[in-house]
mmCIF file of all heavy atoms in Angstrom:
data_model
loop_
_atom_site.group_PDB
_atom_site.id
_atom_site.type_symbol
_atom_site.label_atom_id
_atom_site.label_comp_id
_atom_site.label_asym_id
_atom_site.label_seq_id
_atom_site.Cartn_x
_atom_site.Cartn_y
_atom_site.Cartn_z
ATOM 1 N N GLY A 8 106.732 101.480 101.488
ATOM 2 C CA GLY A 8 106.951 100.195 101.015
ATOM 3 C C GLY A 8 107.361 99.167 102.100
ATOM 4 O O GLY A 8 106.868 98.093 102.132
ATOM 5 N N LEU A 9 108.217 99.626 102.968
ATOM 6 C CA LEU A 9 108.669 98.779 104.070
ATOM 7 C C LEU A 9 107.529 98.557 105.097
ATOM 8 O O LEU A 9 107.426 97.442 105.661
ATOM 9 C CB LEU A 9 109.870 99.393 104.838
ATOM 10 C CG LEU A 9 111.193 99.419 103.997
ATOM 11 C CD1 LEU A 9 112.224 100.240 104.607
ATOM 12 C CD2 LEU A 9 111.732 97.966 103.807
ATOM 13 N N PHE A 10 106.643 99.564 105.356
ATOM 14 C CA PHE A 10 105.562 99.387 106.229
ATOM 15 C C PHE A 10 104.580 98.369 105.665
ATOM 16 O O PHE A 10 103.972 97.680 106.484
ATOM 17 C CB PHE A 10 104.871 100.684 106.522
ATOM 18 C CG PHE A 10 105.499 101.500 107.649
ATOM 19 C CD1 PHE A 10 105.979 102.784 107.414
ATOM 20 C CD2 PHE A 10 105.591 100.972 108.923
ATOM 21 C CE1 PHE A 10 106.480 103.525 108.454
ATOM 22 C CE2 PHE A 10 106.155 101.672 109.919
ATOM 23 C CZ PHE A 10 106.625 102.991 109.681
ATOM 24 N N THR A 11 104.446 98.323 104.366
ATOM 25 C CA THR A 11 103.516 97.299 103.796
ATOM 26 C C THR A 11 103.960 95.919 104.096
ATOM 27 O O THR A 11 103.115 94.961 104.102
ATOM 28 C CB THR A 11 103.380 97.514 102.271
ATOM 29 O OG1 THR A 11 104.593 97.217 101.642
ATOM 30 C CG2 THR A 11 102.887 98.901 101.896
ATOM 31 N N THR A 12 105.187 95.734 104.338
ATOM 32 C CA THR A 12 105.675 94.367 104.577
ATOM 33 C C THR A 12 105.287 93.859 105.979
ATOM 34 O O THR A 12 105.450 92.653 106.273
ATOM 35 C CB THR A 12 107.250 94.233 104.464
ATOM 36 O OG1 THR A 12 107.887 95.007 105.543
ATOM 37 C CG2 THR A 12 107.732 94.804 103.204
ATOM 38 N N MET A 13 104.750 94.756 106.762
ATOM 39 C CA MET A 13 104.197 94.310 108.052
ATOM 40 C C MET A 13 102.882 93.532 107.897
ATOM 41 O O MET A 13 102.424 92.964 108.849
ATOM 42 C CB MET A 13 103.993 95.492 108.995
ATOM 43 C CG MET A 13 105.239 96.279 109.385
ATOM 44 S SD MET A 13 106.402 95.241 110.297
ATOM 45 C CE MET A 13 107.586 94.762 108.941
ATOM 46 N N GLY A 14 102.298 93.602 106.757
ATOM 47 C CA GLY A 14 101.084 92.820 106.444
ATOM 48 C C GLY A 14 101.275 91.846 105.372
ATOM 49 O O GLY A 14 100.465 90.967 105.160
ATOM 50 N N GLU A 15 102.306 92.015 104.554
ATOM 51 C CA GLU A 15 102.641 91.056 103.462
ATOM 52 C C GLU A 15 104.097 90.818 103.498
ATOM 53 O O GLU A 15 104.897 91.720 103.388
ATOM 54 C CB GLU A 15 102.242 91.699 102.113
ATOM 55 C CG GLU A 15 100.709 92.190 101.985
ATOM 56 C CD GLU A 15 99.782 90.984 101.878
ATOM 57 O OE1 GLU A 15 100.318 89.874 101.531
ATOM 58 O OE2 GLU A 15 98.631 91.120 102.171
ATOM 59 N N ALA A 16 104.440 89.555 103.553
ATOM 60 C CA ALA A 16 105.912 89.205 103.656
ATOM 61 C C ALA A 16 106.534 89.188 102.261
ATOM 62 O O ALA A 16 106.773 88.133 101.605
ATOM 63 C CB ALA A 16 106.026 87.781 104.286
ATOM 64 N N THR A 17 106.791 90.397 101.817
ATOM 65 C CA THR A 17 107.308 90.601 100.426
ATOM 66 C C THR A 17 108.834 90.996 100.367
ATOM 67 O O THR A 17 109.361 90.987 99.273
ATOM 68 C CB THR A 17 106.544 91.664 99.702
ATOM 69 O OG1 THR A 17 106.503 92.891 100.557
ATOM 70 C CG2 THR A 17 105.147 91.243 99.458
ATOM 71 N N LEU A 18 109.438 91.299 101.527
ATOM 72 C CA LEU A 18 110.782 91.804 101.472
ATOM 73 C C LEU A 18 111.858 90.858 100.962
ATOM 74 O O LEU A 18 112.801 91.257 100.319
ATOM 75 C CB LEU A 18 111.172 92.313 102.918
ATOM 76 C CG LEU A 18 112.341 93.339 103.000
ATOM 77 C CD1 LEU A 18 111.948 94.589 102.234
ATOM 78 C CD2 LEU A 18 112.671 93.628 104.401
ATOM 79 N N PHE A 19 111.685 89.517 101.207
ATOM 80 C CA PHE A 19 112.598 88.565 100.713
ATOM 81 C C PHE A 19 112.125 87.903 99.408
ATOM 82 O O PHE A 19 112.696 86.939 98.931
ATOM 83 C CB PHE A 19 112.834 87.471 101.774
ATOM 84 C CG PHE A 19 113.372 88.060 103.078
ATOM 85 C CD1 PHE A 19 112.941 87.526 104.310
ATOM 86 C CD2 PHE A 19 114.314 89.052 103.118
ATOM 87 C CE1 PHE A 19 113.435 87.975 105.499
ATOM 88 C CE2 PHE A 19 114.812 89.506 104.290
ATOM 89 C CZ PHE A 19 114.370 88.986 105.496
ATOM 90 N N SER A 20 110.950 88.371 98.912
ATOM 91 C CA SER A 20 110.350 87.753 97.744
ATOM 92 C C SER A 20 111.144 87.898 96.495
ATOM 93 O O SER A 20 111.752 88.912 96.238
ATOM 94 C CB SER A 20 108.961 88.319 97.532
ATOM 95 O OG SER A 20 108.372 87.744 96.381
ATOM 96 N N ILE A 21 111.177 86.863 95.691
ATOM 97 C CA ILE A 21 111.803 86.926 94.374
ATOM 98 C C ILE A 21 110.820 87.315 93.296
ATOM 99 O O ILE A 21 111.120 87.277 92.086
ATOM 100 C CB ILE A 21 112.552 85.660 93.953
ATOM 101 C CG1 ILE A 21 111.488 84.504 93.828
ATOM 102 C CG2 ILE A 21 113.590 85.207 94.995
ATOM 103 C CD1 ILE A 21 112.083 83.239 93.147
ATOM 104 N N GLY A 22 109.588 87.665 93.708
ATOM 105 C CA GLY A 22 108.594 88.100 92.730
ATOM 106 C C GLY A 22 108.776 89.529 92.354
ATOM 107 O O GLY A 22 109.957 90.002 92.240
ATOM 108 N N GLY A 23 107.695 90.272 92.263
ATOM 109 C CA GLY A 23 107.836 91.628 91.740
ATOM 110 C C GLY A 23 107.807 92.642 92.817
ATOM 111 O O GLY A 23 108.486 93.683 92.732
ATOM 112 N N ILE A 24 106.927 92.459 93.807
ATOM 113 C CA ILE A 24 106.719 93.478 94.831
ATOM 114 C C ILE A 24 107.978 93.693 95.640
ATOM 115 O O ILE A 24 108.351 94.757 95.968
ATOM 116 C CB ILE A 24 105.535 93.115 95.736
ATOM 117 C CG1 ILE A 24 104.258 93.120 95.001
ATOM 118 C CG2 ILE A 24 105.385 94.198 96.891
ATOM 119 C CD1 ILE A 24 103.032 92.758 95.778
ATOM 120 N N GLY A 25 108.681 92.575 96.016
ATOM 121 C CA GLY A 25 109.948 92.723 96.814
ATOM 122 C C GLY A 25 110.987 93.551 96.010
ATOM 123 O O GLY A 25 111.614 94.339 96.649
ATOM 124 N N VAL A 26 111.051 93.292 94.724
ATOM 125 C CA VAL A 26 112.018 94.044 93.930
ATOM 126 C C VAL A 26 111.646 95.517 93.864
ATOM 127 O O VAL A 26 112.535 96.379 93.974
ATOM 128 C CB VAL A 26 112.132 93.451 92.504
ATOM 129 C CG1 VAL A 26 112.866 94.418 91.583
ATOM 130 C CG2 VAL A 26 112.745 92.145 92.485
ATOM 131 N N LEU A 27 110.364 95.858 93.814
ATOM 132 C CA LEU A 27 109.909 97.216 93.739
ATOM 133 C C LEU A 27 110.280 97.959 95.071
ATOM 134 O O LEU A 27 110.718 99.084 95.100
ATOM 135 C CB LEU A 27 108.426 97.307 93.531
ATOM 136 C CG LEU A 27 107.843 98.707 93.230
ATOM 137 C CD1 LEU A 27 108.326 99.238 91.911
ATOM 138 C CD2 LEU A 27 106.304 98.660 93.206
ATOM 139 N N ILE A 28 110.035 97.232 96.166
ATOM 140 C CA ILE A 28 110.360 97.843 97.540
ATOM 141 C C ILE A 28 111.886 98.081 97.668
ATOM 142 O O ILE A 28 112.257 99.209 98.085
ATOM 143 C CB ILE A 28 109.884 96.934 98.618
ATOM 144 C CG1 ILE A 28 108.282 96.856 98.679
ATOM 145 C CG2 ILE A 28 110.374 97.445 100.001
ATOM 146 C CD1 ILE A 28 107.756 95.904 99.668
ATOM 147 N N TRP A 29 112.678 97.091 97.213
ATOM 148 C CA TRP A 29 114.085 97.319 97.312
ATOM 149 C C TRP A 29 114.593 98.445 96.323
ATOM 150 O O TRP A 29 115.523 99.129 96.577
ATOM 151 C CB TRP A 29 114.887 96.008 97.014
ATOM 152 C CG TRP A 29 114.920 95.099 98.165
ATOM 153 C CD1 TRP A 29 114.239 93.900 98.315
ATOM 154 C CD2 TRP A 29 115.604 95.279 99.380
ATOM 155 N NE1 TRP A 29 114.476 93.381 99.581
ATOM 156 C CE2 TRP A 29 115.283 94.178 100.255
ATOM 157 C CE3 TRP A 29 116.423 96.295 99.913
ATOM 158 C CZ2 TRP A 29 115.819 94.073 101.539
ATOM 159 C CZ3 TRP A 29 116.901 96.162 101.216
ATOM 160 C CH2 TRP A 29 116.589 95.070 101.985
ATOM 161 N N ALA A 30 113.871 98.570 95.161
ATOM 162 C CA ALA A 30 114.129 99.667 94.241
ATOM 163 C C ALA A 30 113.933 100.966 94.939
ATOM 164 O O ALA A 30 114.708 101.894 94.776
ATOM 165 C CB ALA A 30 113.250 99.507 93.051
ATOM 166 N N PHE A 31 112.851 101.165 95.771
ATOM 167 C CA PHE A 31 112.625 102.352 96.437
ATOM 168 C C PHE A 31 113.699 102.663 97.508
ATOM 169 O O PHE A 31 114.070 103.708 97.721
ATOM 170 C CB PHE A 31 111.176 102.317 97.170
ATOM 171 C CG PHE A 31 110.060 102.338 96.151
ATOM 172 C CD1 PHE A 31 108.853 101.741 96.499
ATOM 173 C CD2 PHE A 31 110.162 102.883 94.905
ATOM 174 C CE1 PHE A 31 107.809 101.764 95.670
ATOM 175 C CE2 PHE A 31 109.134 102.950 94.052
ATOM 176 C CZ PHE A 31 107.886 102.309 94.407
ATOM 177 N N VAL A 32 114.087 101.513 98.143
ATOM 178 C CA VAL A 32 115.170 101.652 99.197
ATOM 179 C C VAL A 32 116.418 102.181 98.511
ATOM 180 O O VAL A 32 117.174 103.100 99.035
ATOM 181 C CB VAL A 32 115.438 100.350 99.836
ATOM 182 C CG1 VAL A 32 116.754 100.402 100.659
ATOM 183 C CG2 VAL A 32 114.315 99.970 100.771
ATOM 184 N N PHE A 33 116.791 101.641 97.321
ATOM 185 C CA PHE A 33 117.978 102.096 96.636
ATOM 186 C C PHE A 33 117.867 103.418 95.948
ATOM 187 O O PHE A 33 118.934 104.133 95.798
ATOM 188 C CB PHE A 33 118.461 100.995 95.612
ATOM 189 C CG PHE A 33 119.027 99.797 96.275
ATOM 190 C CD1 PHE A 33 118.508 98.485 95.988
ATOM 191 C CD2 PHE A 33 120.084 99.893 97.154
ATOM 192 C CE1 PHE A 33 119.059 97.420 96.639
ATOM 193 C CE2 PHE A 33 120.623 98.802 97.794
ATOM 194 C CZ PHE A 33 120.091 97.539 97.516
ATOM 195 N N LEU A 34 116.684 103.812 95.582
ATOM 196 C CA LEU A 34 116.490 105.157 95.109
ATOM 197 C C LEU A 34 116.881 106.178 96.245
ATOM 198 O O LEU A 34 117.551 107.197 96.026
ATOM 199 C CB LEU A 34 115.028 105.429 94.788
ATOM 200 C CG LEU A 34 114.531 105.122 93.361
ATOM 201 C CD1 LEU A 34 113.046 105.370 93.202
ATOM 202 C CD2 LEU A 34 115.273 105.988 92.357
ATOM 203 N N SER A 35 116.465 105.876 97.435
ATOM 204 C CA SER A 35 116.820 106.659 98.656
ATOM 205 C C SER A 35 118.342 106.614 98.847
ATOM 206 O O SER A 35 118.911 107.681 99.148
ATOM 207 C CB SER A 35 116.074 106.181 99.829
ATOM 208 O OG SER A 35 116.450 106.861 101.028
ATOM 209 N N PHE A 36 118.957 105.503 98.707
ATOM 210 C CA PHE A 36 120.379 105.252 98.866
ATOM 211 C C PHE A 36 121.162 106.060 97.916
ATOM 212 O O PHE A 36 122.009 106.875 98.316
ATOM 213 C CB PHE A 36 120.749 103.821 98.692
ATOM 214 C CG PHE A 36 122.170 103.478 98.879
ATOM 215 C CD1 PHE A 36 122.757 103.358 100.126
ATOM 216 C CD2 PHE A 36 122.950 103.315 97.748
ATOM 217 C CE1 PHE A 36 124.126 103.080 100.225
ATOM 218 C CE2 PHE A 36 124.353 103.055 97.903
ATOM 219 C CZ PHE A 36 124.926 102.892 99.118
ATOM 220 N N HIS A 37 120.806 105.993 96.557
ATOM 221 C CA HIS A 37 121.477 106.775 95.550
ATOM 222 C C HIS A 37 121.272 108.238 95.758
ATOM 223 O O HIS A 37 122.186 109.082 95.498
ATOM 224 C CB HIS A 37 121.049 106.343 94.226
ATOM 225 C CG HIS A 37 121.412 104.892 93.821
ATOM 226 N ND1 HIS A 37 122.734 104.405 93.985
ATOM 227 C CD2 HIS A 37 120.710 103.885 93.366
ATOM 228 C CE1 HIS A 37 122.724 103.078 93.543
ATOM 229 N NE2 HIS A 37 121.489 102.761 93.182
ATOM 230 N N ASN A 38 120.061 108.620 96.175
ATOM 231 C CA ASN A 38 119.765 110.009 96.422
ATOM 232 C C ASN A 38 120.635 110.596 97.558
ATOM 233 O O ASN A 38 121.114 111.709 97.505
ATOM 234 C CB ASN A 38 118.294 110.159 96.702
ATOM 235 C CG ASN A 38 117.843 111.610 96.666
ATOM 236 O OD1 ASN A 38 118.032 112.306 95.587
ATOM 237 N ND2 ASN A 38 117.239 112.126 97.732
ATOM 238 N N GLY A 39 120.785 109.777 98.553
ATOM 239 C CA GLY A 39 121.673 110.195 99.648
ATOM 240 C C GLY A 39 123.077 110.421 99.335
ATOM 241 O O GLY A 39 123.739 111.396 99.670
ATOM 242 N N ILE A 40 123.600 109.581 98.415
ATOM 243 C CA ILE A 40 124.973 109.773 97.902
ATOM 244 C C ILE A 40 125.070 111.004 97.075
ATOM 245 O O ILE A 40 126.039 111.793 97.193
ATOM 246 C CB ILE A 40 125.417 108.522 96.982
ATOM 247 C CG1 ILE A 40 125.542 107.286 97.922
ATOM 248 C CG2 ILE A 40 126.680 108.784 96.267
ATOM 249 C CD1 ILE A 40 125.810 105.993 97.109
ATOM 250 N N LEU A 41 124.035 111.265 96.233
ATOM 251 C CA LEU A 41 124.037 112.523 95.377
ATOM 252 C C LEU A 41 123.921 113.733 96.286
ATOM 253 O O LEU A 41 124.720 114.728 96.044
ATOM 254 C CB LEU A 41 122.849 112.510 94.465
ATOM 255 C CG LEU A 41 122.709 113.679 93.514
ATOM 256 C CD1 LEU A 41 123.857 113.751 92.561
ATOM 257 C CD2 LEU A 41 121.347 113.543 92.706
ATOM 258 N N LEU A 42 123.124 113.745 97.311
ATOM 259 C CA LEU A 42 123.020 114.862 98.239
ATOM 260 C C LEU A 42 124.342 115.015 98.925
ATOM 261 O O LEU A 42 124.770 116.136 99.275
ATOM 262 C CB LEU A 42 121.900 114.616 99.176
ATOM 263 C CG LEU A 42 120.467 114.685 98.548
ATOM 264 C CD1 LEU A 42 119.464 114.316 99.682
ATOM 265 C CD2 LEU A 42 120.132 115.995 97.940
ATOM 266 N N GLU A 43 124.940 113.922 99.307
ATOM 267 C CA GLU A 43 126.279 113.973 100.020
ATOM 268 C C GLU A 43 127.296 114.686 99.159
ATOM 269 O O GLU A 43 128.160 115.554 99.632
ATOM 270 C CB GLU A 43 126.698 112.565 100.319
ATOM 271 C CG GLU A 43 127.570 112.462 101.561
ATOM 272 C CD GLU A 43 127.812 110.997 101.991
ATOM 273 O OE1 GLU A 43 128.095 110.154 101.063
ATOM 274 O OE2 GLU A 43 127.636 110.629 103.149
ATOM 275 N N LYS A 44 127.289 114.286 97.873
ATOM 276 C CA LYS A 44 128.287 114.943 96.885
ATOM 277 C C LYS A 44 128.031 116.377 96.799
ATOM 278 O O LYS A 44 128.974 117.223 96.827
ATOM 279 C CB LYS A 44 128.115 114.300 95.537
ATOM 280 C CG LYS A 44 128.710 112.868 95.467
ATOM 281 C CD LYS A 44 128.529 112.301 94.058
ATOM 282 C CE LYS A 44 129.084 110.962 93.969
ATOM 283 N NZ LYS A 44 128.847 110.296 92.639
ATOM 284 N N LYS A 45 126.763 116.797 96.683
ATOM 285 C CA LYS A 45 126.430 118.220 96.540
ATOM 286 C C LYS A 45 126.832 118.991 97.772
ATOM 287 O O LYS A 45 127.279 120.118 97.693
ATOM 288 C CB LYS A 45 124.906 118.383 96.268
ATOM 289 C CG LYS A 45 124.507 117.900 94.874
ATOM 290 C CD LYS A 45 122.986 117.835 94.685
ATOM 291 C CE LYS A 45 122.406 119.202 94.675
ATOM 292 N NZ LYS A 45 120.925 119.162 94.414
ATOM 293 N N GLY A 46 126.647 118.383 98.968
ATOM 294 C CA GLY A 46 127.085 119.021 100.187
ATOM 295 C C GLY A 46 128.517 119.209 100.282
ATOM 296 O O GLY A 46 128.980 120.293 100.704
ATOM 297 N N LYS A 47 129.309 118.247 99.802
ATOM 298 C CA LYS A 47 130.761 118.429 99.836
ATOM 299 C C LYS A 47 131.211 119.484 98.906
ATOM 300 O O LYS A 47 132.162 120.194 99.149
ATOM 301 C CB LYS A 47 131.420 117.053 99.406
ATOM 302 C CG LYS A 47 131.300 116.008 100.527
ATOM 303 C CD LYS A 47 131.949 114.708 100.109
ATOM 304 C CE LYS A 47 131.894 113.670 101.189
ATOM 305 N NZ LYS A 47 132.502 112.379 100.845
ATOM 306 N N VAL A 48 130.540 119.569 97.757
ATOM 307 C CA VAL A 48 130.891 120.648 96.762
ATOM 308 C C VAL A 48 130.682 122.045 97.394
ATOM 309 O O VAL A 48 131.474 122.935 97.252
ATOM 310 C CB VAL A 48 130.086 120.480 95.482
ATOM 311 C CG1 VAL A 48 130.250 121.702 94.589
ATOM 312 C CG2 VAL A 48 130.536 119.262 94.767
ATOM 313 N N LYS A 49 129.575 122.210 98.081
ATOM 314 C CA LYS A 49 129.216 123.463 98.718
ATOM 315 C C LYS A 49 130.216 123.841 99.754
ATOM 316 O O LYS A 49 130.704 124.935 99.830
ATOM 317 C CB LYS A 49 127.783 123.354 99.295
ATOM 318 C CG LYS A 49 126.668 123.437 98.311
ATOM 319 C CD LYS A 49 125.343 123.384 98.962
ATOM 320 C CE LYS A 49 124.177 123.386 97.944
ATOM 321 N NZ LYS A 49 122.879 123.344 98.574
ATOM 322 N N LYS A 50 130.643 122.864 100.538
ATOM 323 C CA LYS A 50 131.642 123.099 101.609
ATOM 324 C C LYS A 50 132.957 123.509 100.967
ATOM 325 O O LYS A 50 133.599 124.368 101.518
ATOM 326 C CB LYS A 50 131.755 121.817 102.490
ATOM 327 C CG LYS A 50 130.631 121.644 103.342
ATOM 328 C CD LYS A 50 130.867 120.400 104.263
ATOM 329 C CE LYS A 50 129.655 120.085 105.180
ATOM 330 N NZ LYS A 50 129.890 118.871 105.957
ATOM 331 N N THR A 51 133.337 122.862 99.904
ATOM 332 C CA THR A 51 134.652 123.159 99.241
ATOM 333 C C THR A 51 134.585 124.551 98.737
ATOM 334 O O THR A 51 135.557 125.340 98.866
ATOM 335 C CB THR A 51 134.850 122.210 98.117
ATOM 336 O OG1 THR A 51 134.832 120.859 98.597
ATOM 337 C CG2 THR A 51 136.233 122.427 97.385
ATOM 338 N N LYS A 52 133.495 124.951 98.157
ATOM 339 C CA LYS A 52 133.357 126.352 97.590
ATOM 340 C C LYS A 52 133.493 127.383 98.769
ATOM 341 O O LYS A 52 134.144 128.401 98.584
ATOM 342 C CB LYS A 52 132.063 126.496 96.898
ATOM 343 C CG LYS A 52 132.002 125.763 95.509
ATOM 344 C CD LYS A 52 130.662 126.074 94.821
ATOM 345 C CE LYS A 52 130.618 125.357 93.522
ATOM 346 N NZ LYS A 52 129.335 125.637 92.779
#
């Protein structure tokens, strides 16, 4: 999604594609937090 912005200036857009790209970024962000939590649980055990 971020590489596509090198040909289309959508990252700051208030339309739909910009929101979709940021949604993918935040999916990764939330997934990182979830993996972080799981890692901490394993270490605690």
Side-chain angles (χ1 to χ4, degrees):
L9 289 168
F10 275 122
T11 65
T12 68
M13 295 299 99
E15 303 288 340
T17 53
L18 199 60
F19 300 142
S20 172
I21 63 168
I24 297 181
V26 170
L27 188 67
I28 293 173
W29 282 111
F31 291 154
V32 170
F33 286 126
L34 273 176
S35 177
F36 178 80
H37 295 308
N38 193 54
I40 293 176
L41 182 63
L42 294 175
E43 208 171 48
K44 288 179 180 177
K45 291 171 69 177
K47 287 180 179 178
V48 169
K49 288 180 180 179
K50 287 182 181 179
T51 303
K52 286 183 178 179

